[in-house]
Amino acid sequence: AALIGPDGAGKSSIMRMMAGLVKPDSGAVLLKNKQLENKTEIHREAGFFIEGPDFYKNLSARQNLMLLKKVRNARQDVDELLNEVGLSVAAGKKVGKYSRGMKQRLGVAQALLGNPSILVLDEPFNGLDPEVKQYLIGIVKKLAKEENMAILISSHILSDLELLADDFILLRSGKVYLSGDMAGFRTEKQKITFGFE
């Protein structure tokens, strides 16, 4: 599923609430039709990539993931994860010397620690050059298809999500403006209103 909407629509706020980083003013987060009592519950099931993930800049990608692996009691092979996101060659390089695209890929790798059944990706393609963007889109497609992972992904660019998502939720000023499949997102009025290409 995809959350789509212009900057400031509330996409990141929703994802931060899901991750337990922000407390909602009202409402609740449900997981498998059960209201979550604390953020630990969702972190057992879901991996989160919140826009602009932060890492220890003086440590390598491998060292960063090894630390997170211990914190999460994950069992995955860190080198396999780095290979999955295309960072094998740069695994020993300090993250402070990584490009934006490399940091985004490392962010996806850290979200995959713990073998989550749900992946929540907040603007994972933001500011990336087309080649890196296509690479990450390929990773997301593979996870959905081969790992049968439920994925919630956000973007303010509709074209980034068209080939990825089955269902869409269009946000406007923090409220659901429209939801459904792609057919509901292709009228001229919506293109003009939201500036989608």
Side-chain angles (χ1 to χ4, degrees), residues 113-184:
L113 272 171
N115 286 314
S117 59
I118 303 164
L119 195 59
V120 179
L121 304 173
D122 182 25
E123 296 276 6
F125 315 126
N126 201 10
L128 299 181
D129 64 52
E131 186 178 324
V132 176
K133 185 188 286 189
Q134 286 308 310
Y135 188 86
L136 272 179
I137 287 172
I139 290 171
V140 173
K141 281 182 178 179
K142 181 181 176 210
L143 290 168
K145 186 176 181 180
E146 295 179 17
E147 305 293 328
N148 200 29
M149 202 175 277
I151 300 174
L152 176 63
I153 190 166
S154 75
S155 180
H156 60 283
I157 303 171
L158 183 59
S159 59
D160 286 350
L161 302 176
E162 285 179 304
L163 300 175
L164 286 175
D166 299 319
D167 297 300
F168 290 80
I169 299 168
L170 179 61
L171 297 178
R172 183 178 183 185
S173 302
K175 297 188 186 320
V176 174
Y177 181 74
L178 187 67
S179 64
D181 60 18
M182 180 50 66

Side-chain angles (χ1 to χ4, degrees), residues 4 13 44 48 51-52 67 80 82 88 93 103 105 112 118 153 156 159:
I4 186 81
S13 295
R44 284 191 205 111
F48 290 88
E51 189 178 7
L67 282 173
E80 282 181 22
L82 289 166
S88 291
K93 185 177 178 180
K103 286 177 185 170
R105 285 186 272 166
L112 291 170
I118 303 164
I153 190 166
H156 60 283
S159 59

Side-chain angles (χ1 to χ4, degrees), residues 7 11 17 24 35 42 58 69 71-72 80 85 99 103 110 126 141 145 160 178:
D7 287 337
K11 303 180 300 295
M17 284 179 218
Q35 184 173 331
I42 197 162
N58 290 322
K69 179 179 175 176
V71 169
R72 295 184 189 173
E80 282 181 22
V85 297
S99 67
K103 286 177 185 170
Q110 66 86 24
N126 201 10
K141 281 182 178 179
K145 186 176 181 180
D160 286 350
L178 187 67

Side-chain angles (χ1 to χ4, degrees), residues 12-23:
S12 294
S13 295
I14 288 171
M15 291 186 165
R16 286 187 176 102
M17 284 179 218
M18 289 175 66
L21 300 173
V22 175
K23 189 175 179 182

